[in-house]
Amino acid sequence: MARRRQHVNSLGLGFESFRGRRPDLPAGRPVEIEIGCAEAQFLFERAARDPDRTYVGLEIRPELVDDVNRRAAAARLPVTAVFGHANHHLADLFPPTRVARVFVNFPDPWFKRRHHKRRLMDEDLARAIHRVLEPGGDLLFQSDVWDIVLDAMGVLDAVDHLFENRAGPWSFWRSPHPYGARSWREAHCEESGLPIWRLLYQNI
Ligand SMILES: C[S@@+](CC[C@H](N)C(=O)[O-])C[C@H]1O[C@@H](n2cnc3c(N)ncnc32)[C@H](O)[C@@H]1O
């Protein structure tokens, strides 16, 4: 499958009101979500490994949402993509404490200084993630862009009593993460020898 690389301005008009469809969250099945799932390689690998959970990808590019849902139906895997903007719609999509794991894999870097305000992680998103995660639930954040991970740590370690850094305060997670799946960008970085910086938090 050809990979579409264009970035969409997540601050663009039209994202504030929720226009997506809420995912089905069958009772008794733990829920894992990826924010910015793109083609959802990570979630498909997770689902193949542990099909007794529900996997939901949030994405602001509608053509990717449709494509993920078509492939999930064809493969009969419990993966759903929803059109939703993480910074606005987490509370519309998930009841409080319903989610067991949140993955933020390689968010758009927005390198130019004038675009930094488009970067994903901020205190409001940290609070929204905290609300949908169950107590003790995991939050993984990973990127090959040092600035992005440092900014995320600056939010997630500083925001009061929401998360505990599993590597210790203000520390990176040094080992591979324990989820047995790789996102497209993660696989690309590993195969190209690019560094990956990881943060792993437990919801309080
Ligand atoms: C660089 S790609 C990474 C894709 C995948 N997670 C990976 O690691 O290969 C980032 C994705 O996040 C999506 N995205 C950006 N901002 C978002 C937001 N606020 N909410 C949901 N998705 C977002 C983009 O459209 C893009 O598909």
Side-chain angles (χ1 to χ4, degrees):
M1 180 187 29
R3 184 168 168 88
R4 288 153 282 198
R5 295 298 302 162
Q6 72 272 28
H7 293 164
V8 170
N9 175 7
S10 62
L11 297 183
L13 291 176
F15 282 123
E16 284 81 359
S17 55
F18 180 61
R19 294 183 274 135
R21 286 182 52 188
R22 287 181 182 79
D24 230 12
L25 304 175
R29 291 172 64 100
V31 176
E32 302 191 7
I33 71 177
E34 183 181 7
I35 291 177
C37 66
E39 292 87 352
Q41 174 173 320
F42 185 87
L43 296 179
F44 279 107
E45 290 188 13
R46 285 286 309 135
R49 196 183 163 93
D50 188 352
D52 293 332
R53 295 178 160 233
T54 295
Y55 301 88
V56 182
L58 267 71
E59 188 39 71
I60 54 173
R61 287 150 70 186
E63 72 281 9
L64 293 179
V65 171
D66 294 342
D67 180 57
V68 168
N69 288 333
R70 263 192 303 273
R71 286 188 292 122
R76 295 172 181 271
L77 284 170
V79 174
T80 308
V82 292
F83 179 71
H85 189 300
N87 304 77
H88 296 296
H89 302 142
L90 272 188
D92 292 310
L93 289 164
F94 306 101
T97 73
R98 182 63 182 89
V99 175
R101 292 175 179 159
V102 174
F103 302 107
V104 185
N105 295 323
F106 303 83
D108 291 328
W110 297 116
F111 287 114
K112 291 181 183 154
R113 183 172 293 279
R114 69 174 191 279
H115 290 160
H116 282 189
K117 57 182 181 300
R118 296 181 186 175
R119 289 180 173 179
L120 186 78
M121 186 54 73
D122 61 15
E123 195 173 316
D124 288 344
L125 179 59
R127 291 187 187 282
I129 291 173
H130 170 72
R131 277 193 293 275
V132 299
L133 262 179
E134 65 189 26
D138 292 346
L139 166 61
L140 173 72
F141 186 104
Q142 49 179 353
S143 173
D144 54 313
V145 181
W146 168 252
D147 273 16
I148 290 280
V149 188
L150 216 52
D151 280 0
M153 184 191 270
V155 172
L156 296 167
D157 266 69
V159 73
D160 36 55
H161 307 301
L162 301 190
F163 304 102
E164 183 178 322
N165 187 329
R166 288 182 52 187
W170 303 100
S171 301
F172 296 101
W173 183 261
R174 297 278 175 198
S175 336
H177 64 69
Y179 305 107
R182 293 193 304 178
S183 76
W184 182 90
R185 180 75 196 168
E186 184 173 5
H188 169 76
C189 290
E190 285 185 351
E191 281 146 27
S192 315
L194 293 170
I196 298 177
W197 308 97
R198 295 188 169 99
L199 304 171
L200 189 55
Y201 293 89
Q202 189 162 46
N203 201 36
I204 293 173

